[in-house]
């Protein structure tokens, strides 16, 4: 009798040990899975943060009517980057050219820079203060490739030929500066041309 009791106790102890072992194993698996998930999230978070930080230097367009008033008051050109989140060439234009331009006082005196995401349905006010979206604005400007840089006046009219694509960094800066110079020259010539037209109109009347 005593032997059978001891055997039962030993058996129950062994069974309990096996249950505790299985419980410990499951906890270890759960912890391992949690660690793997944390690592994956930890790797994804810096990547997402890096993309957000990279794009943060080029303000997203929200109100072109307000930008137009600002451009008119300050005599600046509105440079619009038509890009997309998954475009590596757009990223290079942002990081290598537009962000350094905005970081310098001379660049900020010459241009207002905004970005349009051609795939986004983010709300936007156009130059006439009408409600639209990034995607519709890009379609209205017939943007077919990204990156495309447009050089616009306070009323949204083009002041220079768009800069389409990103062939090489060696010459891109030259073409960008040349477009901005041409746009500024046209913008500064506008008031004189308008005054000349008005004076001619008064002289002929």
């Amino acid at each position: 009798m005593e032997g059978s009791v001891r055997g039962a106790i030993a058996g129950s102890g062994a069974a309990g040990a096996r249950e505790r072992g299985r419980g410990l194993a499951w906890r270890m698996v759960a912890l391992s899975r949690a660690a793997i998930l944390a690592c994956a999230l930890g790797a994804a978070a810096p990547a997402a943060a890096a993309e957000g930080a990279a794009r943060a230097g080029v303000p997203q367009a929200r109100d072109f009517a307000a930008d137009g008033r600002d451009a008119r008051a300050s005599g600046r050109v509105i440079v619009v980057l038509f890009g997309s989140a998954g475009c590596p060439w757009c990223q290079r234009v942002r990081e290598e050219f537009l962000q350094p331009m905005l970081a310098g006082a001379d660049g900020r005196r010459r241009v207002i820079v905004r970005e349009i995401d051609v795939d986004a349905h983010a709300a936007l006010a156009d130059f006439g203060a009408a409600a639209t979206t990034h995607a519709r604005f890009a379609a209205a400007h017939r943007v077919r490739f990204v990156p495309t840089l447009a050089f616009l006046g306070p009323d949204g009219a083009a002041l220079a030929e768009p800069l389409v694509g990103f062939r090489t960094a060696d010459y891109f800066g030259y073409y960008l500066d040349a477009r901005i110079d041409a746009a500024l020259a046209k913008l500064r010539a506008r008031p004189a041309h308008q005054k000349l037209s008005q004076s001619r109109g008064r002289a002929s009347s």
Side-chain angles (χ1 to χ4, degrees):
M1 181 62 136
E2 185 179 353
S4 62
V5 170
R6 288 178 179 175
I9 293 173
S12 63
R18 285 194 297 271
E19 289 298 327
R20 286 194 297 273
R22 282 197 292 269
L24 180 60
W26 279 112
R27 283 195 295 274
M28 292 179 67
V29 169
L31 288 172
S32 298
R33 289 176 176 173
I36 291 170
L37 179 59
C39 289
L41 292 174
E51 181 178 354
R55 300 189 71 189
V58 179
Q60 297 290 296
R62 291 185 175 86
D63 188 347
F64 275 130
D67 292 334
R69 291 191 295 271
D70 191 5
R72 184 175 287 106
S74 59
R76 290 182 290 175
V77 172
I78 300 173
V79 178
V80 181
L81 168 63
F82 292 93
S84 63
C87 166
W89 308 118
C90 303
Q91 188 74 358
R92 291 195 64 182
V93 171
R94 291 185 200 104
E95 292 180 349
E96 298 178 29
F97 298 97
L98 298 182
Q99 290 179 15
M101 183 182 297
L102 291 173
D106 183 62
R108 292 194 301 272
R109 281 195 297 266
R110 301 173 74 208
V111 298
I112 295 171
V113 181
R114 296 290 182 263
E115 181 170 356
I116 289 288
D117 188 329
V118 300
D119 300 318
H121 297 285
L124 172 70
D126 67 13
F127 284 92
T132 185
T133 66
H134 279 222
R136 288 205 297 267
F137 187 85
H141 281 75
R142 299 181 180 180
V143 175
R144 298 177 58 192
F145 303 100
V146 293
T148 289
L149 287 170
F151 305 88
L152 309 179
D155 55 358
L159 296 174
E161 183 182 354
L163 188 54
V164 181
F166 184 88
R167 294 179 182 86
T168 172
D170 294 336
Y171 297 103
F172 191 87
Y174 167 78
Y175 292 132
L176 177 58
D177 286 339
R179 296 291 204 286
I180 292 173
D181 288 343
L184 282 170
K186 189 171 183 179
L187 183 64
R188 290 164 182 166
R190 274 185 168 185
H193 175 71
Q194 290 170 357
K195 290 177 183 178
L196 182 60
S197 299
Q198 292 171 358
S199 63
R200 285 177 177 174
R202 286 194 296 269
S204 61
S205 59

